[in-house]
Amino acid sequence: MNYQWYPGHMTKARRMMQENLSLIDLVIELVDARIPLSSRNPDIDTMGKNKARLILLNKSDLADADLNQEWMEYFREMDIHAVEVNSKSGAGVRSIEAVVRVACKDKLERDRRRGILNRPVRAMVAGIPNVGKSTFINAFAGRACAKTGNKPGVTKGKQWIRLHKSLELLDTPGILWPKFEDQQAGLRLALIGSMNDEILQTEELALELIRFLRAAYGGVLSGRFGVEENGDDFSVLKEISIKRGCLLKGNEPDIRKASSILLEEFRSGKLGRITLERPEQGAKG
Ligand code: G4P
């Protein structure tokens, strides 16, 4: 899950993307609904500029339902077709076909004018690591035909998954690199667990999460851990250690362990549905 991006990996990933882009009509870009902007790749707009585009707000089950709506509206206003999905359960996946037809209407119209009938739309899935590309491909195809956990730069033969007569999906997703240079994006990517935790130490990350939750989702920490939320961030973390019995020798709170527990529970949705970014300000809290 932790990806080290070296210039060589990026060049390879970009080359593969470009090679695959030449074969397709539509880019299905997956973003994480908890951080729809920070999980987008900065170069996708230039790379996919002559292609029809569709954004999937994936992992929508982990994100705030109201903010999912706001993000859908945000993309709609930008004239980008977007669909909310949960690739793990398959929710929302069926509604994509109709949106694909709308997103590709220019191509379908062009084909019709040239007398080409029934040529399927060819699509590829793209996104940064861990956003759910393989899970989505599996869910869309309705069978286990794409392995999860792809690594950058692994070349495979091109295979098309024929979904029905009008849509084919490349079985290999395009792997895009995250926004390294943007510190806020890096922090949010680390919080959802899709970037190497080295960016910040576990404890620093946990403190960032506590700060955010207290400001934007008051009551979540007290509800889950039974802690007071009105002290400073560190005292909240200390209290979480005690409540969860994370103690070192001499009954000192084990801050590191408590930090890991907090992050894991946030990432897996045990703290509830939480979105770290909102459209009007780019960030909550
Ligand atoms: P990638 O190809 O983009 O790298 O991502 P991949 O499909 O491997 O998915 C990364 C993780 O995200 C997987 O969890 C996967 O189950 C989870 N996931 C994908 N889509 C969704 C979604 O819509 N909702 C939720 N809640 N989770 C999703 P994992 O921890 O690596 O594996 P596992 O827990 O499924 O075994």
Side-chain angles (χ1 to χ4, degrees), residues 171-213:
D171 82 335
T172 320
I175 298 166
L176 300 165
W177 46 98
K179 299 177 175 178
F180 311 103
E181 66 296 336
D182 178 341
Q183 277 199 348
Q184 269 304 314
L187 168 65
R188 292 178 191 141
L189 286 160
L191 283 171
I192 65 161
S194 80
M195 264 259 234
N196 205 323
D197 276 7
E198 275 163 28
I199 295 215
L200 284 181
Q201 297 302 318
T202 313
E203 182 185 326
E204 283 176 76
L205 265 185
L207 288 170
E208 286 286 349
L209 182 60
I210 290 172
R211 190 187 64 78
F212 169 79
L213 290 174

Short mmCIF file of all heavy atoms in Angstrom, two decimals, residues 171-213:
data_model
loop_
_atom_site.label_atom_id
_atom_site.label_comp_id
_atom_site.label_asym_id
_atom_site.label_seq_id
_atom_site.Cartn_x
_atom_site.Cartn_y
_atom_site.Cartn_z
N ASP A 171 -8.59 -3.79 -18.86
CA ASP A 171 -8.52 -4.45 -17.55
C ASP A 171 -7.38 -3.91 -16.67
O ASP A 171 -7.34 -4.17 -15.49
CB ASP A 171 -8.42 -5.98 -17.69
CG ASP A 171 -7.01 -6.45 -17.97
OD1 ASP A 171 -6.21 -5.66 -18.51
OD2 ASP A 171 -6.70 -7.61 -17.64
N THR A 172 -6.46 -3.16 -17.28
CA THR A 172 -5.34 -2.60 -16.51
C THR A 172 -5.60 -1.13 -16.23
O THR A 172 -5.75 -0.35 -17.16
CB THR A 172 -4.04 -2.68 -17.33
OG1 THR A 172 -4.02 -3.93 -18.00
CG2 THR A 172 -2.82 -2.54 -16.45
N PRO A 173 -5.65 -0.78 -14.95
CA PRO A 173 -5.90 0.64 -14.67
C PRO A 173 -4.66 1.49 -14.89
O PRO A 173 -3.53 1.01 -14.80
CB PRO A 173 -6.29 0.64 -13.19
CG PRO A 173 -5.69 -0.59 -12.61
CD PRO A 173 -5.55 -1.59 -13.73
N GLY A 174 -4.88 2.76 -15.21
CA GLY A 174 -3.77 3.71 -15.30
C GLY A 174 -3.42 4.17 -13.89
O GLY A 174 -4.30 4.58 -13.14
N ILE A 175 -2.16 4.05 -13.54
CA ILE A 175 -1.75 4.45 -12.20
C ILE A 175 -1.14 5.85 -12.25
O ILE A 175 -0.19 6.10 -12.98
CB ILE A 175 -0.78 3.43 -11.58
CG1 ILE A 175 -1.49 2.08 -11.47
CG2 ILE A 175 -0.30 3.89 -10.22
CD1 ILE A 175 -0.58 0.92 -11.21
N LEU A 176 -1.74 6.73 -11.51
CA LEU A 176 -1.27 8.12 -11.48
C LEU A 176 -0.58 8.39 -10.16
O LEU A 176 -0.84 7.72 -9.17
CB LEU A 176 -2.47 9.05 -11.63
CG LEU A 176 -3.27 8.90 -12.92
CD1 LEU A 176 -4.63 9.59 -12.79
CD2 LEU A 176 -2.50 9.49 -14.09
N TRP A 177 0.28 9.38 -10.17
CA TRP A 177 1.02 9.71 -8.96
C TRP A 177 0.28 10.80 -8.20
O TRP A 177 -0.40 11.64 -8.77
CB TRP A 177 2.44 10.13 -9.31
CG TRP A 177 2.45 11.11 -10.43
CD1 TRP A 177 2.53 12.46 -10.33
CD2 TRP A 177 2.31 10.81 -11.83
NE1 TRP A 177 2.45 13.02 -11.58
CE2 TRP A 177 2.31 12.03 -12.51
CE3 TRP A 177 2.17 9.62 -12.56
CZ2 TRP A 177 2.18 12.09 -13.89
CZ3 TRP A 177 2.03 9.70 -13.94
CH2 TRP A 177 2.05 10.92 -14.58
N PRO A 178 0.42 10.77 -6.87
CA PRO A 178 -0.27 11.77 -6.07
C PRO A 178 0.42 13.14 -6.11
O PRO A 178 1.48 13.29 -6.71
CB PRO A 178 -0.24 11.18 -4.66
CG PRO A 178 0.86 10.19 -4.67
CD PRO A 178 1.16 9.80 -6.08
N LYS A 179 -0.20 14.11 -5.46
CA LYS A 179 0.35 15.48 -5.45
C LYS A 179 1.41 15.60 -4.36
O LYS A 179 1.09 15.89 -3.22
CB LYS A 179 -0.77 16.46 -5.14
CG LYS A 179 -1.91 16.47 -6.13
CD LYS A 179 -3.00 17.43 -5.67
CE LYS A 179 -4.08 17.52 -6.72
NZ LYS A 179 -5.18 18.38 -6.38
N PHE A 180 2.64 15.35 -4.73
CA PHE A 180 3.68 15.38 -3.69
C PHE A 180 3.97 16.79 -3.19
O PHE A 180 4.30 17.01 -2.05
CB PHE A 180 5.02 14.88 -4.24
CG PHE A 180 4.94 13.60 -4.96
CD1 PHE A 180 4.98 13.56 -6.35
CD2 PHE A 180 4.80 12.42 -4.26
CE1 PHE A 180 4.90 12.38 -7.02
CE2 PHE A 180 4.73 11.23 -4.93
CZ PHE A 180 4.78 11.20 -6.32
N GLU A 181 3.91 17.72 -4.13
CA GLU A 181 4.42 19.06 -3.81
C GLU A 181 3.46 19.86 -2.92
O GLU A 181 3.86 20.81 -2.28
CB GLU A 181 4.75 19.83 -5.11
CG GLU A 181 3.59 20.20 -6.02
CD GLU A 181 2.84 18.99 -6.61
OE1 GLU A 181 3.42 17.88 -6.72
OE2 GLU A 181 1.68 19.16 -6.95
N ASP A 182 2.21 19.41 -2.86
CA ASP A 182 1.21 20.13 -2.08
C ASP A 182 1.14 19.51 -0.68
O ASP A 182 0.67 18.40 -0.49
CB ASP A 182 -0.14 20.00 -2.83
CG ASP A 182 -1.28 20.66 -2.10
OD1 ASP A 182 -1.17 20.90 -0.89
OD2 ASP A 182 -2.31 20.93 -2.76
N GLN A 183 1.58 20.26 0.32
CA GLN A 183 1.68 19.71 1.68
C GLN A 183 0.33 19.34 2.28
O GLN A 183 0.21 18.32 2.95
CB GLN A 183 2.36 20.73 2.58
CG GLN A 183 3.86 20.68 2.47
CD GLN A 183 4.52 21.35 3.67
OE1 GLN A 183 3.86 22.02 4.45
NE2 GLN A 183 5.81 21.15 3.81
N GLN A 184 -0.67 20.19 2.04
CA GLN A 184 -2.01 19.90 2.56
C GLN A 184 -2.54 18.60 1.97
O GLN A 184 -3.11 17.77 2.66
CB GLN A 184 -2.97 21.04 2.23
CG GLN A 184 -3.04 22.13 3.29
CD GLN A 184 -3.40 21.58 4.66
OE1 GLN A 184 -4.32 20.76 4.79
NE2 GLN A 184 -2.66 21.98 5.67
N ALA A 185 -2.34 18.46 0.64
CA ALA A 185 -2.81 17.24 -0.03
C ALA A 185 -2.05 16.04 0.55
O ALA A 185 -2.65 15.00 0.82
CB ALA A 185 -2.59 17.35 -1.53
N GLY A 186 -0.75 16.19 0.76
CA GLY A 186 0.06 15.11 1.32
C GLY A 186 -0.44 14.69 2.69
O GLY A 186 -0.55 13.51 2.99
N LEU A 187 -0.79 15.68 3.49
CA LEU A 187 -1.30 15.39 4.83
C LEU A 187 -2.61 14.60 4.74
O LEU A 187 -2.80 13.59 5.42
CB LEU A 187 -1.53 16.72 5.58
CG LEU A 187 -2.32 16.61 6.88
CD1 LEU A 187 -1.56 15.80 7.92
CD2 LEU A 187 -2.64 18.00 7.43
N ARG A 188 -3.51 15.04 3.86
CA ARG A 188 -4.81 14.36 3.75
C ARG A 188 -4.65 12.95 3.17
O ARG A 188 -5.35 12.03 3.57
CB ARG A 188 -5.76 15.19 2.90
CG ARG A 188 -6.15 16.46 3.63
CD ARG A 188 -7.05 17.34 2.81
NE ARG A 188 -7.14 18.63 3.47
CZ ARG A 188 -7.17 19.79 2.86
NH1 ARG A 188 -7.15 19.83 1.54
NH2 ARG A 188 -7.26 20.90 3.54
N LEU A 189 -3.74 12.81 2.23
CA LEU A 189 -3.48 11.48 1.67
C LEU A 189 -2.93 10.56 2.75
O LEU A 189 -3.29 9.39 2.83
CB LEU A 189 -2.50 11.58 0.50
CG LEU A 189 -3.08 12.15 -0.80
CD1 LEU A 189 -1.98 12.65 -1.72
CD2 LEU A 189 -3.95 11.12 -1.50
N ALA A 190 -2.07 11.11 3.60
CA ALA A 190 -1.52 10.31 4.69
C ALA A 190 -2.62 9.95 5.69
O ALA A 190 -2.67 8.83 6.19
CB ALA A 190 -0.40 11.08 5.39
N LEU A 191 -3.53 10.90 5.95
CA LEU A 191 -4.61 10.62 6.90
C LEU A 191 -5.49 9.47 6.44
O LEU A 191 -5.87 8.63 7.24
CB LEU A 191 -5.46 11.88 7.13
CG LEU A 191 -4.84 12.93 8.05
CD1 LEU A 191 -5.66 14.22 8.05
CD2 LEU A 191 -4.70 12.41 9.48
N ILE A 192 -5.81 9.42 5.15
CA ILE A 192 -6.66 8.32 4.69
C ILE A 192 -5.84 7.05 4.46
O ILE A 192 -6.37 5.99 4.12
CB ILE A 192 -7.49 8.65 3.43
CG1 ILE A 192 -6.60 8.90 2.22
CG2 ILE A 192 -8.44 9.82 3.68
CD1 ILE A 192 -7.33 8.78 0.90
N GLY A 193 -4.53 7.15 4.61
CA GLY A 193 -3.68 5.95 4.55
C GLY A 193 -3.20 5.60 3.16
O GLY A 193 -2.75 4.48 2.93
N SER A 194 -3.29 6.58 2.22
CA SER A 194 -2.87 6.19 0.88
C SER A 194 -1.49 6.72 0.52
O SER A 194 -1.03 6.56 -0.59
CB SER A 194 -3.91 6.62 -0.16
OG SER A 194 -3.75 7.96 -0.45
N MET A 195 -0.86 7.35 1.45
CA MET A 195 0.52 7.80 1.23
C MET A 195 1.37 7.21 2.32
O MET A 195 0.87 6.90 3.39
CB MET A 195 0.56 9.32 1.35
CG MET A 195 0.48 10.01 0.03
SD MET A 195 2.04 10.53 -0.52
CE MET A 195 1.90 12.22 -0.88
N ASN A 196 2.61 7.14 2.03
CA ASN A 196 3.53 6.64 3.02
C ASN A 196 3.44 7.46 4.32
O ASN A 196 3.49 8.67 4.29
CB ASN A 196 4.94 6.79 2.44
CG ASN A 196 5.85 5.81 3.07
OD1 ASN A 196 5.74 5.54 4.26
ND2 ASN A 196 6.75 5.26 2.29
N ASP A 197 3.30 6.77 5.43
CA ASP A 197 3.20 7.47 6.71
C ASP A 197 4.46 8.22 7.09
O ASP A 197 4.48 8.95 8.07
CB ASP A 197 2.83 6.48 7.83
CG ASP A 197 1.33 6.25 7.90
OD1 ASP A 197 0.63 6.75 7.01
OD2 ASP A 197 0.88 5.58 8.83
N GLU A 198 5.52 8.02 6.30
CA GLU A 198 6.77 8.72 6.62
C GLU A 198 6.63 10.24 6.53
O GLU A 198 7.38 10.98 7.14
CB GLU A 198 7.87 8.32 5.64
CG GLU A 198 8.59 7.07 6.04
CD GLU A 198 9.35 6.51 4.87
OE1 GLU A 198 9.74 7.27 3.98
OE2 GLU A 198 9.54 5.27 4.85
N ILE A 199 5.65 10.69 5.72
CA ILE A 199 5.46 12.13 5.55
C ILE A 199 5.36 12.81 6.92
O ILE A 199 5.94 13.84 7.17
CB ILE A 199 4.17 12.40 4.75
CG1 ILE A 199 4.38 11.84 3.37
CG2 ILE A 199 3.80 13.88 4.78
CD1 ILE A 199 3.76 12.61 2.28
N LEU A 200 4.58 12.21 7.77
CA LEU A 200 4.49 12.70 9.14
C LEU A 200 4.56 11.48 10.04
O LEU A 200 4.15 10.39 9.65
CB LEU A 200 3.14 13.37 9.38
CG LEU A 200 2.90 14.76 8.83
CD1 LEU A 200 1.50 15.22 9.23
CD2 LEU A 200 3.91 15.76 9.40
N GLN A 201 5.04 11.63 11.22
CA GLN A 201 5.04 10.53 12.17
C GLN A 201 3.59 10.22 12.56
O GLN A 201 2.73 11.11 12.51
CB GLN A 201 5.83 10.92 13.42
CG GLN A 201 7.29 11.20 13.16
CD GLN A 201 8.00 10.00 12.54
OE1 GLN A 201 7.77 8.88 12.97
NE2 GLN A 201 8.82 10.24 11.55
N THR A 202 3.36 8.98 12.94
CA THR A 202 2.01 8.55 13.31
C THR A 202 1.38 9.50 14.34
O THR A 202 0.22 9.88 14.23
CB THR A 202 2.09 7.14 13.92
OG1 THR A 202 2.89 6.35 13.07
CG2 THR A 202 0.74 6.51 14.07
N GLU A 203 2.19 9.89 15.31
CA GLU A 203 1.65 10.74 16.37
C GLU A 203 1.25 12.12 15.84
O GLU A 203 0.19 12.64 16.18
CB GLU A 203 2.72 10.87 17.46
CG GLU A 203 2.26 11.68 18.63
CD GLU A 203 3.38 11.89 19.64
OE1 GLU A 203 4.22 10.98 19.81
OE2 GLU A 203 3.41 12.96 20.25
N GLU A 204 2.07 12.65 14.96
CA GLU A 204 1.73 13.97 14.38
C GLU A 204 0.45 13.88 13.56
O GLU A 204 -0.40 14.77 13.60
CB GLU A 204 2.85 14.46 13.47
CG GLU A 204 4.05 15.01 14.19
CD GLU A 204 5.14 15.36 13.19
OE1 GLU A 204 5.00 16.39 12.52
OE2 GLU A 204 6.09 14.56 13.07
N LEU A 205 0.34 12.77 12.82
CA LEU A 205 -0.86 12.57 12.02
C LEU A 205 -2.10 12.48 12.91
O LEU A 205 -3.13 13.07 12.61
CB LEU A 205 -0.75 11.25 11.24
CG LEU A 205 -0.24 11.28 9.83
CD1 LEU A 205 -0.32 9.88 9.23
CD2 LEU A 205 -1.04 12.24 8.96
N ALA A 206 -1.97 11.71 13.99
CA ALA A 206 -3.09 11.55 14.91
C ALA A 206 -3.49 12.90 15.49
O ALA A 206 -4.69 13.21 15.60
CB ALA A 206 -2.72 10.57 16.02
N LEU A 207 -2.52 13.73 15.82
CA LEU A 207 -2.83 15.05 16.38
C LEU A 207 -3.52 15.93 15.33
O LEU A 207 -4.46 16.66 15.66
CB LEU A 207 -1.55 15.73 16.89
CG LEU A 207 -0.99 15.11 18.17
CD1 LEU A 207 0.40 15.67 18.50
CD2 LEU A 207 -1.94 15.34 19.37
N GLU A 208 -3.09 15.81 14.08
CA GLU A 208 -3.76 16.56 13.00
C GLU A 208 -5.22 16.12 12.88
O GLU A 208 -6.11 16.92 12.69
CB GLU A 208 -3.06 16.31 11.65
CG GLU A 208 -1.74 17.02 11.49
CD GLU A 208 -1.89 18.52 11.26
OE1 GLU A 208 -3.01 19.00 11.03
OE2 GLU A 208 -0.85 19.21 11.35
N LEU A 209 -5.42 14.80 12.98
CA LEU A 209 -6.78 14.27 12.86
C LEU A 209 -7.65 14.76 14.02
O LEU A 209 -8.80 15.17 13.81
CB LEU A 209 -6.73 12.73 12.81
CG LEU A 209 -8.08 12.04 12.63
CD1 LEU A 209 -8.76 12.47 11.32
CD2 LEU A 209 -7.92 10.52 12.64
N ILE A 210 -7.08 14.74 15.21
CA ILE A 210 -7.84 15.21 16.38
C ILE A 210 -8.22 16.68 16.20
O ILE A 210 -9.36 17.07 16.40
CB ILE A 210 -7.02 15.00 17.68
CG1 ILE A 210 -6.93 13.50 17.99
CG2 ILE A 210 -7.64 15.76 18.85
CD1 ILE A 210 -5.99 13.13 19.12
N ARG A 211 -7.26 17.47 15.75
CA ARG A 211 -7.53 18.91 15.55
C ARG A 211 -8.68 19.10 14.55
O ARG A 211 -9.62 19.84 14.79
CB ARG A 211 -6.25 19.58 15.01
CG ARG A 211 -6.33 21.11 14.98
CD ARG A 211 -5.12 21.71 14.27
NE ARG A 211 -5.03 21.35 12.86
CZ ARG A 211 -5.77 21.89 11.90
NH1 ARG A 211 -6.64 22.84 12.19
NH2 ARG A 211 -5.66 21.49 10.65
N PHE A 212 -8.59 18.35 13.44
CA PHE A 212 -9.62 18.45 12.41
C PHE A 212 -10.99 18.00 12.94
O PHE A 212 -12.00 18.68 12.76
CB PHE A 212 -9.22 17.62 11.18
CG PHE A 212 -10.35 17.47 10.21
CD1 PHE A 212 -10.68 18.50 9.34
CD2 PHE A 212 -11.11 16.31 10.19
CE1 PHE A 212 -11.75 18.38 8.46
CE2 PHE A 212 -12.19 16.17 9.32
CZ PHE A 212 -12.50 17.21 8.45
N LEU A 213 -11.02 16.85 13.59
CA LEU A 213 -12.30 16.30 14.05
C LEU A 213 -12.97 17.20 15.08
O LEU A 213 -14.18 17.41 15.04
CB LEU A 213 -12.09 14.89 14.64
CG LEU A 213 -11.74 13.80 13.62
CD1 LEU A 213 -11.41 12.49 14.33
CD2 LEU A 213 -12.88 13.57 12.63
#
